Amino acid sequence: MVVKIDQIALQRLLGSTSRAPRWAIAFKYPPEEVTTRLLGIQVNVGRTGRVTPFAVMEPVKVSGSTVDRATLHNADEVKRKGVLIGDMVILRKAGDVIPEVLGPVADLRTGDEREYVYPTHCPSCGTRLAREEAEVDWRCPNTRACPAQLRERLFHLAGRGAFDIEVLGYEAVSALLDCGLVTDEGDLFALTAERLETCPFFMVKQGTLSANATRLLVNLEQARTRPLWRILVALSIRHVGPTAARALAAEFGSLDAIEEASADALAAVDGVGPTIAASLREWFAEDWHRAIVGKWNDAGVRLADPDFDPARAAARLLAGVSVVITGTLAGFSRDEAGEAVRQAGGKVTSSVSKKTSFVVAGENAGSKYDKAAELGVPILDEAAFRVLLEQGPDAAAPAG
């Protein structure tokens, strides 16, 4: 059963994630549960360095398919579930799709089970793992040289949500790395028929390029003109998924503009926020990241959307600025004033805090005016509000 909010205006207000609408939810029958033996726990190193444990089990059929692997998410989750290697465990498919270990069948323990010891070093490159404060994930900090991370990033950028390079699967990626044809993502678009001919994986017995190798070159040529948001996804910037990438591309229009934007300007984009903004600034601060972008640019990859209107830059006049509107304005309704701020790239909030940039106060402003005065937040009348919209925060800020 699917429950939906049926008012279109509310649907638009709630919006959607990259995977599902926020205005609908599905209720399903309880998933089928089975038991099987947990043979071991291994870890996988992802494209951003995240080290994820997964269960290796005796194959068992559940919800129509045979399963022998299931993610355990992180070290804390392994402890929470209380599973030991050798346990009989309860398995199901979350949402009838993703295999999930629920926990052990403690009554069936024999005493031979043993606790899993989480690795202290990356299984791919040997670098000591690290965990940031307030994070649950352990990560390999060797972002540039870890073979597992590079392989995962290459596989990711070939995906449908990024460059959509159809024939660049795991085997092809591994072959490119093993043959030394690429050392990082930047080398991908420098591949030629002559270079592929040096790698046996891309050749047939007759000594010519395989059909997949030829298709790879065609796919790469097509990928050079992908939209900007796909390029952002392909770069494997932490926290930047399709939703944030689309918002950034629509707001800035080019990779250069995104690189040059301040953290406040990035965070002001609807759907981005401070976490993604900080991640973007950190990513572009790395020389080798910028070198990848440079290689793509030299290879003819289009790093700007051709239909972007440069006039949109004016709409970022209030990037990073948060405004509270209170009281009655003569020339604006409350909705019109809020929309004017948003059109200029600012944010409209409902409560006053130390982080508020300006309070726009009309007649009968009330408690929000008092709160702004108490916190020292700049207070603007309607005339100053118009200056803010037309000339920016520096021109509107009260003297002194």
Side-chain angles (χ1 to χ4, degrees), residues 288-309:
W288 70 276
H289 287 158
R290 296 197 303 275
I292 289 171
V293 175
K295 288 180 181 179
W296 285 359
N297 184 61
D298 293 343
V301 178
R302 192 173 65 193
L303 303 180
D305 282 337
D307 56 350
F308 179 74
D309 182 3

Side-chain angles (χ1 to χ4, degrees), residues 167-203:
V167 296
L168 195 58
Y170 260 105
E171 289 187 1
V173 165
S174 298
L176 290 175
L177 294 172
D178 292 342
C179 293
L181 295 181
V182 296
T183 57
D184 62 27
E185 300 94 310
D187 297 331
L188 187 63
F189 288 95
L191 291 174
T192 61
E194 291 75 21
R195 297 192 68 194
L196 290 179
E197 286 172 355
T198 66
C199 185
F201 178 84
F202 296 102
M203 303 296 289

Side-chain angles (χ1 to χ4, degrees), residues 131-137:
R131 180 159 67 173
E132 295 177 11
E133 187 177 351
E135 280 221 353
V136 298
D137 294 319

